[in-house]
Amino acid sequence: MDPDAVAKAFVEHYYSTFDANRAGLANLYQEGSMLTFEGQKIMGSQNIVAKLTSLPFQQCQHQISTVDSQPSGPAGGMLVFVSGNLQLSGEQHALKFSQVLVTLAIYYCRFIDFGMEYS
């Protein structure tokens, strides 16, 4: 199995789910998962999804520019760096974003670090 292809498929699934139904991301987190969102640390699947669903925009579209990945740990996890543009509904200009995902056994996000660049 090509790790880059797995990472790309995971990223496509993650962001298409984020854009269409953020609550659907709950299946990608565990209670030991942590989201760091612009300095705020959020622990656990329910808390992470609550944060993502409470963001001040309802509709968005991620446009992925970069997916870089490498294996992480003996259990088949991956470290994935993603960057691109985030187009918010009703906004003329997209926001730049970057995100680091650490997965366990390819299927769960263990740690996430997310940031946006406001221009």
Side-chain angles (χ1 to χ4, degrees):
M1 183 182 298
D2 177 17
D4 291 332
V6 172
K8 184 177 178 187
F10 181 83
V11 165
E12 288 174 3
H13 174 69
Y14 183 90
Y15 290 105
S16 65
T17 303
F18 188 107
D19 294 348
N21 176 23
R22 281 179 245 167
L25 292 172
N27 294 331
L28 298 179
Y29 298 106
Q30 298 176 325
E31 287 313 305
S33 297
M34 178 182 282
L35 166 68
T36 303
F37 186 90
E38 298 183 337
Q40 180 184 13
K41 295 186 181 344
I42 301 151
M43 186 79 164
S45 179
Q46 289 181 331
N47 294 331
I48 291 170
V49 170
K51 173 62 178 179
L52 296 177
T53 57
S54 71
L55 294 174
F57 52 88
Q58 296 303 310
Q59 296 180 343
C60 66
Q61 180 67 45
H62 286 86
Q63 300 153 350
I64 306 303
S65 300
T66 304
V67 177
D68 291 327
S69 64
Q70 63 186 45
S72 175
M78 299 204 61
L79 174 69
V80 183
F81 173 79
V82 183
S83 67
N85 295 312
L86 177 61
Q87 184 66 54
L88 303 179
S89 180
E91 295 293 327
Q92 183 177 5
H93 301 288
L95 300 170
K96 303 277 186 201
F97 82 94
S98 61
Q99 190 163 12
V100 175
L101 304 158
V102 178
T103 67
L104 296 177
I106 311 305
Y107 301 109
Y108 297 99
C109 293
R110 179 70 170 164
F111 299 104
I112 305 95
D113 190 358
F114 182 81
M116 288 192 284
E117 180 181 317
Y118 302 97
S119 300

